[in-house]
Amino acid sequence: MGWRDSILKVLKKNRKGVTLRQLRDQLGVKKGKEKQLRKELSSLLKCGLAVKVGKKYLLSSNVDVVQGRFENTQFGYGFLITSQGDFFVPRRFKKDALHGDTVEALIIRKGARGEARILRVVERKRKKVAGFFVWERKMPVVVPVERKLPELEVKKIPTEPIIQGQLVEAELAGKKCIIKRIIGDPEEPGKDIEAVLVHYDVPVDFPEVKIEEEAEELPRRDLRREVVFTIDGETARDFDDAVSIKKIRGGYRLGVHIADVSHYVKKGTLLDAEAGLRGNSIYFPERAVPMLPPVLSENLASLRPREDRLTLTVEMDITHGGEVRSYRIFPSVIRSMERMTYNKVWEILQGNRELRKKYAHILPALETMAEAAEALLNRRKRKGSLDFDLPEPEFIYTEEGVLLDIMPFERNFAHQIIEEFMLAANESVAHFLTAKGYPAIFRVHEPPEPRKIEGLKKILGVFGYRLEAEEVEVGDLQKVVEQAQGKPEEKLINIMVLRSLKLAKYSPQPLGHFALAKENYLHFTSPIRRYPDLVVHRTVKAALSRSAPPYSEKELEKIAAHCSFTERKADQMEAEIIHWRTVRFLMDKIGERFSGIIVGMGNDGLHVELDKYMIQGSVLFSEMKEDYFVVNDGWVARGRRSGKTYKIGQKIDVVLGSIDPYRRTIYLFPARQEKAKRKRKKRGRKKT
C-alpha cells in the first residue's frame, strides 16, 4: 500500500484530525523518511483531499470545506462569499488571504451568524499592486491604494532611489512584493488616478481600429424635424440619450432615442473585444476612462447638437396616471436641437425668464416632460419602488485645478425627469425581448437575504420602526425610508436599509429588480458606457428583423458575469479616488471640529460619518480615556464606570485628531473630550 492510501486511511479513522507527529507514529514512519511524508501531505492538501486546520490534518470529507471568494474589510475582519451564502471571517482566521482571492475555507458555524476559517488560497486575484512606498519599523513596505489590502513587505529594495510616500508599481511574490517602477509623487495632479488604474489593471489606450458601419437591414424612421434634445450634466462629453415628447389624448407620447452604437461596433471585431474587456466606462472627478475610443464615444456615436445621428428609438404612450400603455421600438435618425444641462432645465422649470426666452423653442416640451415624469414617478412610488436620498460628494476645483471644497451633489427634478424616462424605456425593451423569446442580458436585483432583514429589523426597532411582515417586500422598506424623512436618524436609516440589500447585477435570466419593484428589467439606454446595453441593442435589432438571436444563453452568462465584475471594479476605483482626495483635503483641517453621525461600531471604536464631507472616521475607545467602553449587540457602546452610552444613529460632535496619509484612515475623538483635556492642562499650570 502506497503512502497516499495509508495517510488517507489514518485520516478517515481519526475524524477529529491528527498532528504530523501523531500521523508519523501511527504509520510507523522513521525520522529519516519524514520528508517524504510531508511531501505526500502537501500533495493531498493541494488536490483538496485533505485540509490542515491549525496543526491538525483532516480528511476533507469529514469536515465542511468550501471554496469561495474572500472579501476583506477596512476593519480587519472579512467575509467568505460562497454558493451556500456568506460567512463571517474573523481577523485571526484570514490567514494570508487578500481581498478578492479564491480560497478554501472551513465552515465553523452555519445559520444567521455563519463563520468560516480560511485554510488556503486557491488562486490569487491579482499579480501586481500599486501603492505607497513606506519605511515602517525599519522595514520597507508597500501600502496598496486599495484600502482592503494589507501592507506588503518589499522583498528587494530597488537600486533606483525611492522617497518615502512615493507611489510605486509592485509585483506580488508570495507574501511579499517586488517594486517594478516608480509612478510618482501622490500630490502631483493625476498620479492618484494613474496609480488606481495600474492597481486595478485597467487598459487605457485603444489599439488602432478601423470603424466599419453595419449594413442597414431595417428601415430608419426620419425624426430630424422632431423636437429632440439631450439633457446631461455640466461636464458630460458623451451623449447617448436624447428625448422628445408630445401630448396625446389621455396622456403623453414619449420618445427615448439612444445612440445606435451597434451600427459602428460589430460583434466579433477587435473594437468589440476591447469594449467587452472594459465592460464599462469609468468616471473620476476630472477624467473619464471610456469603454469606447473617443472617435466614437465623443463623436460618431455621441448625440451632439445640430448633427445627424443614428439612434434606436423607444416610443411610449403614457397615461396621465404614469402607465406605459403601449410602445414601439425602431431604428431612427435624429438631429438634436440643443445640448441641455440639468441645471438649465431646472432653472427654466423654476421660472428663469432669461433662459425661458432663450429656449422658447423647446419650452413646451420641457414643461410636458416635467408632467410626464411626475406621473411616472408617482406610479413607481405607488408600486413600492425604493428611493434613497443619500448625498454624494461633488469636488469644487479652482481654474488651476486646486481642490477648493467638497459639497453634497445637488440633485434636482431635471435629473428625475431623465431617470424616469430611462427607467420606462429599459422596462419596455425588457418586456419586448421577453415577449419575443430572445435571450438577453437582464439587470437583476434579487430580494435581500432573511438574515440581513432580521438584522435590519433589530436596528430599526431601536428607533421605533417596525417591519411586521415575515417576507419583506420593497414597499415595506420604502415606507420606513419615508417615515424617517426629516428626522435625525434619516441618514442612518437610509444607510442601514441600503446595507441590507444585495448588489444589483447582470444575468441572462429575468429575475426581476427588487429595489425598483419591476418584474422584468434590463439596461438599454447607455451603450456608449455599458457593454450589456450594446449587447441588448444587437438583440433588439435581431428581434426587429426576425433574425436568429446574436447570442446564446451560454455566451450571455459569461458576458453577464464579466460585466457584473467590471462594474463592481469601476465602483471600487471611483470610491477609492473620492475617499483619497477627501482625505488629502482634510489634512489641512486637523484640530477642527465637525458634526457627524455614528454609522457603526466595533470592539475597537465608533465609526462616524462627517456630515459635511460624507467620509467616515474612527473614534477609538483606546483614546477615550474617561471610561472603558464595551459594545453591546453591535449598536450600543456603554461605559463600565459612568454608564455613558453611544448609540448607532446618534449625532456627535468630533474633532479631527489625525490622519494616516498612506492608509487614508481618519482618527477622531469626541469634541467634549478636547475641552476636558484643555481644562486639565490649565489646572496643571496653576499648580506649578
Side-chain angles (χ1 to χ4, degrees):
M1 189 180 287
W3 277 105
R4 174 175 286 221
D5 292 336
S6 299
I7 294 170
L8 290 173
K9 191 175 180 180
V10 172
L11 295 181
K12 188 175 182 180
K13 182 182 175 183
N14 296 270
R15 296 185 65 86
K16 292 186 178 180
V18 291
T19 63
L20 180 63
R21 184 176 179 177
Q22 289 169 336
L23 183 61
R24 187 189 69 198
D25 292 344
Q26 289 189 40
L27 291 174
V29 178
K30 294 180 181 179
K31 284 189 177 182
K33 292 193 175 182
E34 192 175 297
K35 187 176 180 181
Q36 181 64 27
L37 179 62
R38 289 178 183 273
K39 189 176 179 181
E40 287 291 354
L41 278 170
S42 179
S43 176
L44 288 170
L45 292 174
K46 190 171 279 188
C47 69
L49 287 173
V51 296
K52 187 180 182 183
V53 181
K55 292 183 178 182
K56 289 188 175 183
Y57 295 89
L58 299 96
L59 200 64
S60 295
S61 57
N62 287 344
V63 291
D64 196 354
V65 174
V66 298
Q67 277 197 15
R69 187 181 74 254
F70 177 68
E71 290 193 355
N72 199 26
T73 71
Q74 63 193 82
F75 308 118
Y77 56 82
F79 294 93
L80 176 69
I81 313 300
T82 74
S83 57
Q84 297 181 24
D86 301 349
F87 297 88
F88 177 73
V89 180
R91 185 196 298 260
R92 66 185 184 281
F93 289 161
K94 292 194 314 184
K95 212 167 182 181
D96 60 341
L98 300 177
H99 181 69
D101 287 349
T102 300
V103 299
E104 188 174 75
L106 174 69
I107 304 303
I108 299 171
R109 184 170 58 244
K110 289 188 174 181
R113 300 176 69 84
E115 191 173 305
R117 176 177 185 161
I118 306 298
L119 298 175
R120 69 186 181 95
V121 174
V122 177
E123 184 182 3
R124 288 285 186 203
K125 176 189 175 184
R126 59 178 68 255
K127 302 292 186 289
K128 64 179 180 179
V129 298
F132 299 88
F133 175 81
V134 182
W135 282 93
E136 288 192 342
R137 301 178 296 278
K138 298 183 179 180
M139 182 176 70
V141 298
V142 170
V143 181
V145 295
E146 185 179 359
R147 285 169 291 147
K148 290 181 178 180
L149 292 182
E151 62 189 39
L152 299 163
E153 184 182 341
V154 176
K155 189 174 183 179
K156 184 181 178 183
I157 302 172
T159 54
E160 186 179 1
I162 307 177
I163 302 170
Q164 171 91 346
Q166 275 192 315
L167 290 168
V168 297
E169 179 183 341
E171 188 178 88
L172 289 179
K175 296 180 182 179
K176 298 183 179 182
C177 67
I178 301 169
I179 293 175
K180 289 297 180 182
R181 73 178 180 98
I182 297 172
I183 296 173
D185 185 345
E187 296 300 319
E188 189 179 334
K191 287 298 179 183
D192 51 0
I193 292 176
E194 183 184 343
V196 166
L197 291 171
V198 167
H199 180 83
Y200 286 91
D201 199 22
V202 174
V204 176
D205 299 322
F206 289 89
E208 286 189 23
V209 290
K210 184 179 180 182
I211 297 173
E212 298 179 12
E213 296 190 36
E214 181 186 56
E216 297 277 59
E217 293 184 12
L218 295 163
R220 285 190 185 274
R221 192 178 299 183
D222 191 342
L223 303 179
R224 286 175 290 186
R225 293 182 180 274
E226 300 284 330
V227 179
V228 178
F229 48 88
T230 62
I231 305 176
D232 291 278
E234 303 286 339
T235 60
R237 297 176 69 179
D238 51 18
F239 316 115
D240 49 15
D241 58 87
V243 288
S244 62
I245 202 166
K246 58 181 70 171
K247 290 187 176 182
I248 58 172
R249 187 175 181 180
Y252 317 92
R253 179 158 293 164
L254 170 66
V256 174
H257 316 279
I258 308 299
D260 190 357
V261 176
S262 64
H263 181 82
Y264 302 100
V265 184
K266 296 181 183 179
K267 183 188 176 187
T269 61
L270 176 60
L271 183 56
D272 181 45
E274 287 289 327
L277 175 66
R278 288 162 171 78
N280 45 257
S281 298
I282 305 168
Y283 295 92
F284 298 114
E286 81 286 354
R287 177 185 173 185
V289 181
M291 183 183 80
L292 296 169
V295 66
L296 276 174
S297 60
E298 297 177 18
N299 187 4
L300 287 175
S302 186
L303 308 182
R304 302 199 300 192
R306 291 169 284 283
E307 294 184 23
D308 294 351
R309 287 293 182 264
L310 303 181
T311 48
L312 269 180
T313 291
V314 183
E315 187 179 79
M316 295 161 280
D317 290 348
I318 301 168
T319 66
H320 289 300
E323 180 185 0
V324 178
R325 192 169 49 201
S326 62
Y327 62 82
R328 293 153 297 281
I329 305 172
F330 51 86
S332 54
V333 55
I334 68 164
R335 189 178 178 86
S336 174
M337 297 180 74
E338 295 290 349
R339 178 271 200 263
M340 300 298 292
T341 66
Y342 295 119
N343 290 339
K344 278 183 182 178
V345 170
W346 178 236
E347 287 187 44
I348 288 169
L349 294 176
Q350 289 292 96
N352 185 302
R353 290 185 179 181
E354 187 178 333
L355 288 175
R356 287 173 75 88
K357 184 178 180 180
K358 181 178 179 180
Y359 295 105
H361 55 300
I362 63 170
L363 180 58
L366 284 172
E367 292 178 332
T368 303
M369 284 178 184
E371 289 178 23
E374 186 113 30
L376 287 166
L377 174 62
N378 289 337
R379 178 177 172 79
R380 188 162 61 82
K381 283 185 175 179
R382 286 196 301 272
K383 292 182 73 176
S385 181
L386 192 55
D387 282 313
F388 292 105
D389 186 22
L390 285 172
E392 297 178 358
E394 182 179 13
F395 293 88
I396 312 298
Y397 291 91
T398 65
E399 290 183 3
E400 293 75 28
V402 177
L403 183 55
L404 186 65
D405 203 357
I406 303 170
M407 306 284 287
F409 177 72
E410 294 288 338
R411 276 176 57 89
N412 55 51
F413 191 68
H415 293 87
Q416 196 76 56
I417 290 173
I418 294 301
E419 185 174 322
E420 295 304 324
F421 290 175
M422 299 306 120
L423 288 172
N426 286 336
E427 188 175 19
S428 296
V429 173
H431 182 273
F432 170 75
L433 290 179
T434 304
K436 294 291 182 183
Y438 274 69
I441 287 185
F442 295 89
R443 182 64 169 178
V444 303
H445 186 226
E446 297 173 273
E449 295 177 4
R451 67 182 183 87
K452 292 273 191 177
I453 292 299
E454 285 306 311
L456 178 63
K457 284 181 178 180
K458 289 179 181 178
I459 294 175
L460 291 178
V462 174
F463 297 95
Y465 298 93
R466 303 234 181 280
L467 282 174
E468 302 291 351
E470 283 191 22
E471 288 191 18
V472 172
E473 296 183 357
V474 64
D476 301 321
L477 297 179
Q478 180 59 33
K479 285 177 185 175
V480 169
V481 169
E482 288 174 355
Q483 288 170 13
Q485 280 183 359
K487 296 178 181 177
E489 68 270 14
E490 177 184 5
K491 186 175 186 178
L492 179 81
I493 297 298
N494 281 330
I495 290 172
M496 291 305 167
V497 171
L498 185 61
R499 285 179 182 174
S500 73
L501 301 177
K502 289 186 176 181
L503 290 174
K505 63 181 182 180
Y506 294 105
S507 169
Q509 304 300 325
L511 303 175
H513 200 293
F514 178 80
L516 292 176
K518 295 185 183 296
E519 294 180 5
N520 204 352
Y521 188 72
L522 52 67
H523 278 167
F524 167 81
T525 53
S526 294
I528 285 179
R529 62 185 180 90
R530 293 189 304 230
Y531 192 73
D533 301 51
L534 178 54
V535 170
V536 167
H537 273 231
R538 290 173 179 148
T539 308
V540 166
K541 282 187 173 180
L544 290 173
S545 63
R546 298 181 181 179
S547 55
Y551 297 93
S552 67
E553 285 204 23
K554 195 170 183 179
E555 284 181 294
L556 292 173
E557 197 170 316
K558 287 182 180 178
I559 295 169
H562 174 70
C563 290
S564 295
F565 168 74
T566 59
E567 178 190 40
R568 288 192 296 271
K569 183 168 76 169
D571 289 343
Q572 288 173 8
M573 294 169 68
E574 291 165 9
E576 289 292 358
I577 290 296
I578 288 171
H579 182 89
W580 189 350
R581 293 198 175 180
T582 306
V583 165
R584 275 162 50 191
F585 180 73
L586 290 175
M587 290 289 287
D588 294 333
K589 301 186 182 299
I590 290 174
E592 291 188 20
R593 182 172 176 146
F594 299 96
S595 63
I597 183 172
I598 300 173
V599 294
M601 56 183 66
N603 291 329
D604 58 342
L606 312 174
H607 309 311
V608 176
E609 182 166 309
L610 303 183
D611 294 333
K612 186 173 183 181
Y613 296 115
M614 297 148 284
I615 191 171
Q616 288 186 29
S618 296
V619 178
L620 300 178
F621 291 143
S622 59
E623 295 295 318
M624 297 167 70
K625 307 298 184 184
E626 75 271 24
D627 207 339
Y628 180 80
F629 288 89
V630 178
V631 176
N632 299 318
D633 299 321
W635 56 74
V636 178
R638 188 181 303 276
R640 283 187 173 177
R641 293 191 302 272
S642 65
K644 167 72 178 176
T645 60
Y646 290 97
K647 295 181 180 180
I648 196 166
Q650 178 181 327
K651 288 281 186 180
I652 183 173
D653 283 344
V654 293
V655 170
L656 180 55
S658 64
I659 292 176
D660 183 332
Y662 307 125
R663 288 166 186 80
R664 285 138 292 149
T665 50
I666 297 172
Y667 297 102
L668 313 163
F669 56 83
R672 60 174 184 78
Q673 185 173 322
E674 183 200 31
K675 291 179 182 178
K677 281 183 178 180
R678 286 176 179 170
K679 286 178 181 177
R680 283 198 296 271
K681 285 181 180 178
K682 286 179 181 178
R683 285 198 294 269
R685 281 196 294 271
K686 285 178 183 177
K687 285 181 181 179
T688 56

